[in-house]
Amino acid sequence: MPITSKQLAQLAGVSRGTVDRVLNRRGGVNPAVQQRIEDLARQYGYRPNRAGRALVTRSPLRIGVLMNSVGNPFFDEVKRGLETACGEFSDFPVVPYWRETKGYDLQCQLEEIAGCQDMAGLIITPLNRPEVAGRLNDFIGNGNRPVVTLNTDVDDCARLAYVGCRYLASGQTAAQMMGLITGGNARILVVTGSLKVQGHNQRVYGFSRVLQKEFPQAVIADVVENNDDDQVSANCVAQALQADPSINALYFSAAGVRGGVEAALTVCSSPPTIVTCDLTPDIRRLLESGAVQATVDQDPYWQGYTAMKTLLDKLLLQQDPGTERLYAQNGIRTKYNML
Amino acid sequence: MPITSKQLAQLAGVSRGTVDRVLNRRGGVNPAVQQRIEDLARQYGYRPNRAGRALVTRSPLRIGVLMNSVGNPFFDEVKRGLETACGEFSDFPVVPYWRETKGYDLQCQLEEIAGCQDMAGLIITPLNRPEVAGRLNDFIGNGNRPVVTLNTDVDDCARLAYVGCRYLASGQTAAQMMGLITGGNARILVVTGSLKVQGHNQRVYGFSRVLQKEFPQAVIADVVENNDDDQVSANCVAQALQADPSINALYFSAAGVRGGVEAALTVCSSPPTIVTCDLTPDIRRLLESGAVQATVDQDPYWQGYTAMKTLLDKLLLQQDPGTERLYAQNGIRTKYNML
DNA sequence: TTGTATGCGTTATCAA
DNA sequence: TTGATAACGCATACAA
């Protein structure tokens, strides 16, 4: 248990009020006294007591949670994590404002950010666009308010931290699995979500690089885009497989797995090797049935939990995250370890 | 923010003191009043405020941490987790007593438990023996003090919770990986730690069962015991491989991996498929070099963190764990996702 | 059997 | 520019 502000006041020979003014930079303090108290605080390693602070924090802390999560089952676990971390701060009056949207519309996201002007902090799954970075930087600049980016990051933004996936490693891990399972004898169809989404591209890049390095005889026959949609996925997978019947493996770097797998099972003469990303209910069923051999998870619960905890640690306890980037584990899941 | 004891007192028309007596079962309260307050508390979902309680908890809370972790690098991460969870309760005066021992000596463990008579709670990696269960039950009975078993469990013990590995699933997962990598064409040498350790046996059992079910053409050629020792491991692996040169795969269900793998690489004409458990520095190197293809992790950091958090939640916040058994993820790690 | 006073560490308000 | 005081929720010692 560290030193208290009361002890600090005694040591400095002043009242607690003065110490408080110094510690919280309220001004109106004799510079000499200010200096003395600051030195003492540093010397004795003063850290505000969480309990004491929690007890007097009355005005509710409003934080915005902006996610394009509507219709995306991946975010169910993320939300559970966010809520759990929030619950661990229930001795503080924290009020999260949930703003869930659908799709990747820039204008819509800008408006959502604009609607958060009176929040104390933000958690967001940002589009990687300069306009978004600009708005977020405005938010941050106006009152030094912290922003945590969740699951996706945005360039040139002064956010407190990024909490999410290491997309490159996710793709590398998938390639390693694909190579191990096929013994390297694979002609692979890569099915990606969107070439406009940075994370998907990084996965595909990591995948191809490791494949080349570790399993040089394996080849990527084609890369198709399904826009995270099952119907589109079914169509483009069927088309690609018909165009090249020698394809014997598929890597899905994003969503739209169910549709694509169904199409593959219909078209292929013998069941292909399939590696996917994430662990949605659809993919659980496909692992269970044996249609998908392995999936590379990104611990969505941890992502939600850590994002909220990072923001609240900063806001309520002046505690900075150790790193600017907090990465989830890329766990490999199969039929027997998906629980 | 839930209801406070003060509000409860107002609602019941009594003083805060009386409410406190009821809530903390101190006795000396009119039965009718007691009933009324209990009903009200339940009805309004009263939960003691963490901050308020932290502020008044003055006598240090002593908790014993008993691990046979000496010389076992697996526990390094466990300890990090224990310490982190402890740190999150730094507004309470918690004093952990670390008792680390070497090996699996019954007498030694019984003495360590005996030395914890004045602790408020216990975290322990128990030997699964009736004598241990008995001593722990005595400890628990004497003051209703909580015990959390960590990484290994003990039968017939009234512990608060078990935090650790799902050993059966660990073995099943390893079998699935082994089968996927070898395409089922495997003659496997199983190298276990000790036939006296329940967890090792469960892993081997899960391994063989899934192998049989999913890859019926694969066979377990032999099972050898290395007592978690690299030297012993090297000897018995070399011997088994010389006895049966058709063996082309190894599963290590415990430690002693480095010695065993070195022997295997020396004896085998072509590099065998190797699946292991855990992610020690040795195994990291072997994954990196490609000698080991995959390892089944058990999230030791999480285990330590969760064990400590479970105990302190109970002790300081009267908060029970959701389940009696808290299981770590059996994550599969390869060269590209071990970070 | 019940009520009251005090103090924990912090912030906010008011007085000097 | 500084100091004193009240309040938050809880536990405890003491008074009635």
Side-chain angles (χ1 to χ4, degrees):
Chain A
M1 304 260 273
I3 195 175
T4 71
S5 66
K6 188 179 174 181
Q7 294 173 289
L8 224 43
Q10 273 176 343
L11 285 165
V14 297
S15 76
R16 285 182 300 201
T18 303
V19 170
D20 181 64
R21 275 182 282 270
V22 173
L23 259 27
N24 295 315
R25 319 202 142 73
R26 288 190 226 293
V29 178
N30 183 314
V33 178
Q34 165 128 6
Q35 189 57 249
R36 185 151 42 100
I37 294 175
E38 276 173 355
D39 289 346
L40 247 29
R42 205 165 325 106
Q43 185 184 338
Y44 286 92
Y46 172 80
R47 291 172 47 74
N49 178 293
R50 169 183 165 136
R53 179 168 294 185
L55 225 39
V56 292
T57 304
R58 312 257 15 101
S59 58
L61 188 77
R62 301 151 58 84
I63 59 175
V65 183
L66 273 53
M67 300 185 293
N68 37 6
S69 52
V70 172
N72 192 339
F74 168 80
F75 281 97
D76 293 349
E77 285 295 291
V78 177
K79 278 181 269 183
R80 261 193 55 229
L82 288 163
E83 279 158 3
T84 301
C86 225
E88 291 186 358
F89 284 82
S90 65
D91 48 350
F92 290 93
V94 176
V95 184
Y97 286 82
W98 305 93
R99 296 281 150 82
E100 299 188 59
T101 57
K102 188 175 172 62
Y104 302 92
D105 185 61
L106 175 62
Q107 212 48 49
C108 167
Q109 179 153 89
L110 293 177
E111 279 166 26
E112 287 293 348
I113 297 173
C116 286
Q117 277 323 311
D118 54 344
M119 303 284 161
L122 231 52
I123 292 174
I124 184 173
T125 57
L127 299 175
N128 188 11
R129 299 290 206 82
E131 298 93 324
V132 171
R135 284 284 175 94
L136 289 177
N137 283 331
D138 289 348
F139 177 89
I140 295 162
N142 178 5
N144 194 27
R145 294 177 290 177
V147 169
V148 172
T149 53
L150 170 59
N151 192 250
T152 61
D153 204 3
V154 52
D155 295 324
D156 303 317
C157 174
R159 80 256 178 300
L160 175 66
Y162 163 64
V163 177
C165 185
R166 210 190 277 269
Y167 288 96
L168 188 76
S170 167
Q172 293 176 312
T173 303
Q176 176 77 0
M177 278 306 289
M178 182 64 92
L180 286 174
I181 297 174
T182 60
N185 304 117
R187 273 188 72 81
I188 304 164
L189 174 63
V190 172
V191 186
T192 196
S194 165
L195 294 170
K196 281 184 275 184
V197 175
Q198 196 175 38
H200 300 175
N201 291 339
Q202 288 174 337
R203 278 193 183 133
V204 173
Y205 177 65
F207 183 85
S208 68
R209 236 182 35 179
V210 164
L211 207 65
Q212 214 164 53
K213 183 178 167 213
E214 304 274 347
F215 308 95
Q217 73 277 34
V219 304
I220 293 177
D222 200 357
V223 178
V224 295
E225 212 176 342
N226 70 5
N227 281 306
D228 291 338
D229 182 275
D230 280 304
Q231 192 54 55
V232 177
S233 197
N235 293 339
C236 67
V237 165
Q239 201 176 336
L241 291 176
Q242 273 151 1
D244 184 347
S246 67
I247 287 173
N248 63 355
L250 289 91
Y251 168 50
F252 289 84
S253 75
V257 170
R258 183 167 43 80
V261 170
E262 278 166 8
L265 293 181
T266 313
V267 175
C268 288
S269 49
S270 67
T273 299
I274 304 181
V275 174
T276 66
C277 285
D278 299 334
L279 194 51
T280 58
D282 273 349
I283 292 179
R284 276 178 197 276
R285 277 188 289 273
L286 293 168
L287 283 169
E288 187 57 52
S289 76
V292 169
Q293 282 71 50
T295 194
V296 180
D297 189 30
Q298 54 169 319
D299 217 341
Y301 175 86
W302 180 91
Q303 289 188 30
Y305 179 88
T306 305
M308 184 62 84
K309 183 159 171 53
T310 301
L311 187 70
L312 294 180
D313 274 348
K314 174 67 177 178
L315 236 25
L316 295 171
L317 310 174
Q318 271 88 48
Q319 215 158 282
D320 286 294
T323 348
E324 187 199 6
R325 283 167 233 264
L326 298 158
Y327 291 115
Q329 277 279 10
N330 287 125
I332 300 166
R333 310 250 156 256
T334 65
K335 185 170 177 174
Y336 291 99
N337 72 329
M338 57 186 191
L339 207 128
Chain B
M1 303 260 272
I3 195 174
T4 70
S5 65
K6 187 179 174 183
Q7 293 173 289
L8 224 44
Q10 273 176 343
L11 285 165
V14 298
S15 76
R16 287 177 286 235
T18 304
V19 170
D20 181 65
R21 277 182 281 269
V22 173
L23 259 26
N24 295 317
R25 318 200 143 74
R26 287 190 227 293
V29 178
N30 183 314
V33 178
Q34 165 127 5
Q35 189 57 249
R36 186 150 44 98
I37 295 176
E38 277 173 353
D39 288 347
L40 245 29
R42 204 166 323 106
Q43 184 183 339
Y44 286 91
Y46 172 79
R47 291 168 46 74
N49 179 293
R50 169 182 166 136
R53 179 164 296 185
L55 227 38
V56 293
T57 304
R58 313 254 16 99
S59 57
L61 189 76
R62 301 150 58 85
I63 59 176
V65 183
L66 272 54
M67 301 184 292
N68 36 7
S69 52
V70 171
N72 191 340
F74 169 80
F75 280 96
D76 292 349
E77 284 296 290
V78 176
K79 278 182 268 183
R80 261 193 56 230
L82 287 163
E83 278 158 2
T84 302
C86 225
E88 290 186 357
F89 283 83
S90 65
D91 47 351
F92 290 92
V94 176
V95 184
Y97 286 82
W98 305 95
R99 298 280 150 83
E100 300 190 57
T101 56
K102 188 173 173 64
Y104 302 91
D105 185 62
L106 174 63
Q107 212 47 48
C108 167
Q109 179 154 89
L110 293 177
E111 278 166 26
E112 287 293 348
I113 297 173
C116 286
Q117 277 323 310
D118 54 345
M119 304 283 161
L122 230 53
I123 293 174
I124 184 173
T125 57
L127 298 176
N128 188 11
R129 300 289 205 83
E131 297 93 325
V132 172
R135 284 284 175 96
L136 289 177
N137 284 331
D138 289 348
F139 178 89
I140 295 164
N142 177 5
N144 194 27
R145 294 176 291 177
V147 169
V148 172
T149 53
L150 170 59
N151 191 251
T152 60
D153 204 3
V154 51
D155 295 325
D156 304 316
C157 173
R159 81 257 180 298
L160 175 66
Y162 163 64
V163 177
C165 184
R166 210 191 278 269
Y167 288 96
L168 188 77
S170 168
Q172 292 177 313
T173 304
Q176 175 77 359
M177 277 306 289
M178 181 65 90
L180 285 174
I181 297 173
T182 60
N185 304 116
R187 274 188 71 81
I188 304 164
L189 173 64
V190 172
V191 185
T192 196
S194 165
L195 294 171
K196 281 184 275 183
V197 176
Q198 196 175 39
H200 299 174
N201 291 339
Q202 287 174 338
R203 278 193 181 131
V204 174
Y205 177 65
F207 184 85
S208 68
R209 235 182 36 179
V210 164
L211 209 65
Q212 213 164 54
K213 182 177 167 215
E214 303 275 346
F215 307 95
Q217 73 276 35
V219 304
I220 293 178
D222 201 357
V223 178
V224 296
E225 213 176 342
N226 70 4
N227 280 309
D228 289 339
D229 183 276
D230 280 304
Q231 192 53 55
V232 176
S233 198
N235 294 339
C236 66
V237 165
Q239 200 177 337
L241 291 177
Q242 274 151 359
D244 183 347
S246 68
I247 287 173
N248 63 355
L250 289 89
Y251 169 50
F252 289 84
S253 74
V257 170
R258 182 168 44 79
V261 170
E262 279 166 8
L265 293 181
T266 313
V267 175
C268 288
S269 49
S270 68
T273 299
I274 304 182
V275 174
T276 66
C277 285
D278 299 335
L279 194 51
T280 57
D282 273 349
I283 292 180
R284 278 178 195 277
R285 276 189 290 273
L286 293 168
L287 283 169
E288 186 57 51
S289 76
V292 169
Q293 280 71 52
T295 194
V296 180
D297 190 29
Q298 53 168 323
D299 218 341
Y301 175 86
W302 180 92
Q303 289 188 28
Y305 180 87
T306 305
M308 184 62 86
K309 185 161 169 52
T310 301
L311 187 71
L312 294 180
D313 274 347
K314 174 67 178 180
L315 236 23
L316 294 171
L317 309 174
Q318 271 88 49
Q319 214 158 279
D320 286 294
T323 347
E324 188 201 3
R325 282 167 232 263
L326 298 158
Y327 290 117
Q329 279 278 9
N330 286 125
I332 300 166
R333 311 248 155 257
T334 66
K335 186 171 179 175
Y336 291 97
N337 71 330
M338 57 185 193
L339 208 129

PDB file of all heavy atoms in Angstrom, chain B residues 229-242:
ATOM      1  N   ASP B 229      12.039 -36.081 -17.161  1.00  0.00           N
ATOM      2  CA  ASP B 229      13.484 -35.825 -17.130  1.00  0.00           C
ATOM      3  C   ASP B 229      14.095 -35.979 -18.528  1.00  0.00           C
ATOM      4  O   ASP B 229      13.843 -36.962 -19.224  1.00  0.00           O
ATOM      5  CB  ASP B 229      14.151 -36.796 -16.154  1.00  0.00           C
ATOM      6  CG  ASP B 229      15.637 -36.524 -16.023  1.00  0.00           C
ATOM      7  OD1 ASP B 229      16.404 -37.035 -16.876  1.00  0.00           O
ATOM      8  OD2 ASP B 229      16.006 -35.770 -15.105  1.00  0.00           O
ATOM      9  N   ASP B 230      14.906 -35.007 -18.916  1.00  0.00           N
ATOM     10  CA  ASP B 230      15.468 -35.015 -20.270  1.00  0.00           C
ATOM     11  C   ASP B 230      16.394 -36.201 -20.509  1.00  0.00           C
ATOM     12  O   ASP B 230      16.375 -36.806 -21.577  1.00  0.00           O
ATOM     13  CB  ASP B 230      16.224 -33.702 -20.525  1.00  0.00           C
ATOM     14  CG  ASP B 230      15.270 -32.580 -20.881  1.00  0.00           C
ATOM     15  OD1 ASP B 230      14.501 -32.747 -21.845  1.00  0.00           O
ATOM     16  OD2 ASP B 230      15.279 -31.543 -20.197  1.00  0.00           O
ATOM     17  N   GLN B 231      17.205 -36.533 -19.519  1.00  0.00           N
ATOM     18  CA  GLN B 231      18.161 -37.618 -19.689  1.00  0.00           C
ATOM     19  C   GLN B 231      17.436 -38.959 -19.826  1.00  0.00           C
ATOM     20  O   GLN B 231      17.669 -39.729 -20.759  1.00  0.00           O
ATOM     21  CB  GLN B 231      19.114 -37.639 -18.481  1.00  0.00           C
ATOM     22  CG  GLN B 231      20.321 -38.529 -18.676  1.00  0.00           C
ATOM     23  CD  GLN B 231      21.054 -38.176 -19.974  1.00  0.00           C
ATOM     24  OE1 GLN B 231      21.441 -37.030 -20.190  1.00  0.00           O
ATOM     25  NE2 GLN B 231      21.234 -39.162 -20.857  1.00  0.00           N
ATOM     26  N   VAL B 232      16.517 -39.194 -18.891  1.00  0.00           N
ATOM     27  CA  VAL B 232      15.720 -40.422 -18.946  1.00  0.00           C
ATOM     28  C   VAL B 232      14.977 -40.479 -20.272  1.00  0.00           C
ATOM     29  O   VAL B 232      14.897 -41.516 -20.936  1.00  0.00           O
ATOM     30  CB  VAL B 232      14.713 -40.459 -17.779  1.00  0.00           C
ATOM     31  CG1 VAL B 232      13.814 -41.696 -17.889  1.00  0.00           C
ATOM     32  CG2 VAL B 232      15.419 -40.427 -16.440  1.00  0.00           C
ATOM     33  N   SER B 233      14.443 -39.327 -20.666  1.00  0.00           N
ATOM     34  CA  SER B 233      13.685 -39.225 -21.900  1.00  0.00           C
ATOM     35  C   SER B 233      14.533 -39.660 -23.094  1.00  0.00           C
ATOM     36  O   SER B 233      14.108 -40.466 -23.928  1.00  0.00           O
ATOM     37  CB  SER B 233      13.219 -37.781 -22.073  1.00  0.00           C
ATOM     38  OG  SER B 233      12.172 -37.691 -23.003  1.00  0.00           O
ATOM     39  N   ALA B 234      15.740 -39.142 -23.170  1.00  0.00           N
ATOM     40  CA  ALA B 234      16.633 -39.475 -24.280  1.00  0.00           C
ATOM     41  C   ALA B 234      16.863 -40.985 -24.337  1.00  0.00           C
ATOM     42  O   ALA B 234      16.769 -41.606 -25.404  1.00  0.00           O
ATOM     43  CB  ALA B 234      17.958 -38.735 -24.115  1.00  0.00           C
ATOM     44  N   ASN B 235      17.110 -41.569 -23.182  1.00  0.00           N
ATOM     45  CA  ASN B 235      17.383 -43.006 -23.146  1.00  0.00           C
ATOM     46  C   ASN B 235      16.191 -43.832 -23.590  1.00  0.00           C
ATOM     47  O   ASN B 235      16.305 -44.688 -24.463  1.00  0.00           O
ATOM     48  CB  ASN B 235      17.789 -43.432 -21.732  1.00  0.00           C
ATOM     49  CG  ASN B 235      19.118 -42.818 -21.335  1.00  0.00           C
ATOM     50  OD1 ASN B 235      19.901 -42.406 -22.206  1.00  0.00           O
ATOM     51  ND2 ASN B 235      19.366 -42.730 -20.041  1.00  0.00           N
ATOM     52  N   CYS B 236      15.027 -43.566 -23.018  1.00  0.00           N
ATOM     53  CA  CYS B 236      13.905 -44.458 -23.307  1.00  0.00           C
ATOM     54  C   CYS B 236      13.369 -44.238 -24.725  1.00  0.00           C
ATOM     55  O   CYS B 236      12.897 -45.176 -25.373  1.00  0.00           O
ATOM     56  CB  CYS B 236      12.807 -44.360 -22.251  1.00  0.00           C
ATOM     57  SG  CYS B 236      11.961 -42.805 -22.189  1.00  0.00           S
ATOM     58  N   VAL B 237      13.498 -43.007 -25.223  1.00  0.00           N
ATOM     59  CA  VAL B 237      13.083 -42.768 -26.610  1.00  0.00           C
ATOM     60  C   VAL B 237      14.010 -43.503 -27.580  1.00  0.00           C
ATOM     61  O   VAL B 237      13.554 -44.188 -28.499  1.00  0.00           O
ATOM     62  CB  VAL B 237      13.061 -41.254 -26.934  1.00  0.00           C
ATOM     63  CG1 VAL B 237      12.992 -41.023 -28.436  1.00  0.00           C
ATOM     64  CG2 VAL B 237      11.880 -40.590 -26.242  1.00  0.00           C
ATOM     65  N   ALA B 238      15.310 -43.391 -27.351  1.00  0.00           N
ATOM     66  CA  ALA B 238      16.278 -44.062 -28.220  1.00  0.00           C
ATOM     67  C   ALA B 238      16.023 -45.567 -28.228  1.00  0.00           C
ATOM     68  O   ALA B 238      15.974 -46.207 -29.293  1.00  0.00           O
ATOM     69  CB  ALA B 238      17.691 -43.767 -27.742  1.00  0.00           C
ATOM     70  N   GLN B 239      15.815 -46.101 -27.052  1.00  0.00           N
ATOM     71  CA  GLN B 239      15.582 -47.536 -26.917  1.00  0.00           C
ATOM     72  C   GLN B 239      14.330 -47.967 -27.688  1.00  0.00           C
ATOM     73  O   GLN B 239      14.354 -48.928 -28.464  1.00  0.00           O
ATOM     74  CB  GLN B 239      15.429 -47.857 -25.437  1.00  0.00           C
ATOM     75  CG  GLN B 239      15.656 -49.313 -25.089  1.00  0.00           C
ATOM     76  CD  GLN B 239      15.560 -49.516 -23.577  1.00  0.00           C
ATOM     77  OE1 GLN B 239      15.746 -48.563 -22.812  1.00  0.00           O
ATOM     78  NE2 GLN B 239      15.266 -50.735 -23.164  1.00  0.00           N
ATOM     79  N   ALA B 240      13.232 -47.213 -27.500  1.00  0.00           N
ATOM     80  CA  ALA B 240      11.969 -47.575 -28.149  1.00  0.00           C
ATOM     81  C   ALA B 240      12.084 -47.468 -29.668  1.00  0.00           C
ATOM     82  O   ALA B 240      11.544 -48.308 -30.402  1.00  0.00           O
ATOM     83  CB  ALA B 240      10.847 -46.676 -27.637  1.00  0.00           C
ATOM     84  N   LEU B 241      12.798 -46.439 -30.135  1.00  0.00           N
ATOM     85  CA  LEU B 241      12.903 -46.250 -31.583  1.00  0.00           C
ATOM     86  C   LEU B 241      13.804 -47.303 -32.223  1.00  0.00           C
ATOM     87  O   LEU B 241      13.573 -47.723 -33.360  1.00  0.00           O
ATOM     88  CB  LEU B 241      13.438 -44.845 -31.888  1.00  0.00           C
ATOM     89  CG  LEU B 241      12.481 -43.698 -31.569  1.00  0.00           C
ATOM     90  CD1 LEU B 241      13.143 -42.354 -31.842  1.00  0.00           C
ATOM     91  CD2 LEU B 241      11.191 -43.817 -32.371  1.00  0.00           C
ATOM     92  N   GLN B 242      14.801 -47.717 -31.464  1.00  0.00           N
ATOM     93  CA  GLN B 242      15.659 -48.779 -31.994  1.00  0.00           C
ATOM     94  C   GLN B 242      14.898 -50.102 -32.033  1.00  0.00           C
ATOM     95  O   GLN B 242      15.042 -50.886 -32.970  1.00  0.00           O
ATOM     96  CB  GLN B 242      16.930 -48.902 -31.153  1.00  0.00           C
ATOM     97  CG  GLN B 242      18.023 -47.944 -31.623  1.00  0.00           C
ATOM     98  CD  GLN B 242      18.958 -47.526 -30.504  1.00  0.00           C
ATOM     99  OE1 GLN B 242      18.787 -47.942 -29.353  1.00  0.00           O
ATOM    100  NE2 GLN B 242      19.928 -46.689 -30.835  1.00  0.00           N
TER     101      GLN B 242
END
